[in-house]
Amino acid sequence: MPADSVLQIKVTLADVRPPIWRRLQVPADLTLDRLHLVIQTAMGWENCHMHLFSTPAGDYGRRDSELGHRDEREVPLCAVAPAVGDRISYTYDFGDDWVHGIEVEKALPKEPGTAYPRCLTGRRSCPPEDCGGPWGYANFLEAIADPGHEEHDELLEWVGGAFDPNHFDAEDINKRLATR
């Protein structure tokens, strides 16, 4: 794979229905620590918790010999998922356990004048930080949709008064990616 290649990846949040996902194009040589930041931005996470990439070559995150995590800062995405169809996973927040599947959909040449990384498309809002993982998120959605639910008002206040689970704005994501 040429050093100036771009990988088109699809990042899908596991165990959430309807699905929440983002289609991104990133430089193939983007290191996993930088990919973590791209995913945080694209999904809407706040980067408040630990994370881990699980790959066929091993687990990568902040180096931790006790846990067996290798240093993500020195490993490019193309080293652990070099081919179309390759899959790795990314777990964010070991308490809530947000697991994301990452699939390489395409390998492309860089387009002149195009800024990478970029978000092409996606679906649905990211769950609020610290809402309890996929099962807590399902309960959260149920509560905010039902004005008679005992936690309705409290949870809406917690998220700032409103939450639209169907909201997605690629243009806003790309603006935030450009400032990273």
Side-chain angles (χ1 to χ4, degrees), residues 139-159:
N139 292 335
F140 167 81
L141 291 176
E142 180 181 317
I144 66 167
D146 178 4
H149 192 283
E150 66 184 42
E151 294 180 294
H152 176 82
D153 293 338
E154 177 186 343
L155 289 174
L156 279 179
E157 182 180 334
W158 177 63
V159 293

Side-chain angles (χ1 to χ4, degrees), residues 1-9 25-36 38 72-82 104 106-108 110 116-117:
M1 174 180 309
D4 63 346
S5 293
V6 170
L7 294 178
Q8 181 170 301
I9 60 174
Q25 289 182 340
V26 299
D29 63 355
L30 187 73
T31 56
L32 295 180
D33 64 317
R34 301 297 297 163
L35 179 59
H36 157 69
V38 169
E72 67 187 352
R73 296 173 298 175
E74 300 178 20
V75 179
L77 176 58
C78 64
V80 295
V104 177
K106 294 180 182 179
L108 307 160
K110 283 187 178 174
Y116 299 99

Side-chain angles (χ1 to χ4, degrees), residues 117-120 169-179:
R118 68 180 180 165
C119 179
L120 300 177
D169 186 342
E171 185 177 322
D172 179 59
I173 291 169
N174 284 320
K175 285 179 188 173
R176 288 186 283 124
L177 285 170
T179 63

